[in-house]
Amino acid sequence: MPNHALPNQTFMNPGDVCSMLNLKKSTLDAYAAILKNAGYPFHVNPKGERLYFHKDVIVMKRFMEVKKNQHLTVEQAANEVVSWAKDNDMAGTVIEKEDAKQQHSDEIQDLKETIEKQNELLQELSAKLDRQPRSRKSSETKKTAATPQDKKKSNKSIFDLFSKKE
């Protein structure tokens, strides 16, 4: 979802652009799809809705003029306009951001996989720790309980040794 607007720019919804360009929504959608296929990236919000910035409206106007005046097919007109937009840096930042977006998307996927592996390891370690304290506590309890009896036995045996010698 590239955002090729400058920080102080605001987006327009399709209805605003239709009013500005005197187009039906279906025509605007068709033109945007043709320009997108020619390589011009539009901003799409998280809901998948296309949003337009001032640059996009300029590109759309240019597309309509070229298509009408130069007697080109819509695909040829779109290719010419996208080339013009790139040359005039109308879409350059968007294309760079699309590449960055893909790179970030790949990095995010790698991080998600790493986190998943770490979570699995944490679960394994947690399970080991859950088992480990129980066995230590039970052996410590046994040692504590047995220690006074062992002392009595060892005291008796030492006492017995001294008493037998005498």
Side-chain angles (χ1 to χ4, degrees):
M1 287 151 233
N3 182 349
H4 58 290
L6 298 173
N8 61 353
Q9 287 185 323
T10 58
F11 65 86
M12 293 172 267
N13 64 39
D16 297 335
V17 177
C18 287
S19 295
M20 291 174 68
L21 300 176
N22 196 27
L23 292 174
K24 293 181 182 178
K25 171 98 168 62
S26 59
T27 303
L28 177 67
D29 289 342
Y31 287 175
I34 292 166
L35 286 166
K36 182 181 178 194
N37 287 339
Y40 187 83
F42 288 95
H43 178 83
V44 178
N45 71 13
K47 294 179 182 177
E49 302 164 335
R50 191 177 295 117
L51 301 174
Y52 298 88
F53 293 94
H54 183 68
K55 287 181 176 184
D56 302 329
V57 175
I58 293 170
V59 168
M60 191 66 69
K61 280 183 186 178
R62 177 80 176 193
F63 171 70
M64 292 167 60
E65 290 169 4
V66 169
K67 181 181 72 66
K68 182 178 180 180
N69 296 332
Q70 294 189 12
H71 306 291
L72 300 173
T73 66
V74 289
E75 290 81 12
Q76 291 170 332
N79 288 329
E80 186 175 313
V81 170
V82 170
S83 177
W84 169 83
K86 288 178 184 177
D87 291 344
N88 291 288
D89 199 29
M90 298 296 285
T93 55
V94 178
I95 293 167
E96 290 170 10
K97 288 188 179 193
E98 281 291 322
D99 291 341
K101 176 186 167 194
Q102 182 59 45
Q103 181 181 356
H104 291 309
S105 179
D106 293 345
E107 290 171 355
I108 289 170
Q109 185 60 36
D110 290 344
L111 288 172
K112 284 180 180 179
E113 290 172 6
T114 300
I115 289 169
E116 189 176 314
K117 289 177 185 176
Q118 288 176 342
N119 283 337
E120 289 172 6
L121 289 172
L122 285 172
Q123 288 176 348
E124 288 176 23
L125 288 173
S126 178
K128 285 181 182 179
L129 285 173
D130 285 346
R131 288 188 303 264
Q132 194 175 23
R134 288 184 196 131
S135 62
R136 282 186 182 173
K137 285 181 183 176
S138 62
S139 64
E140 288 174 7
T141 305
K142 289 177 185 177
K143 286 181 184 177
T144 308
T147 303
Q149 292 172 355
D150 291 341
K151 284 182 180 179
K152 288 180 183 178
K153 287 180 183 177
S154 57
N155 287 341
K156 287 182 182 179
S157 60
I158 291 173
F159 182 74
D160 289 339
L161 287 174
F162 285 115
S163 62
K164 288 182 182 177
K165 286 184 180 179
E166 294 177 9

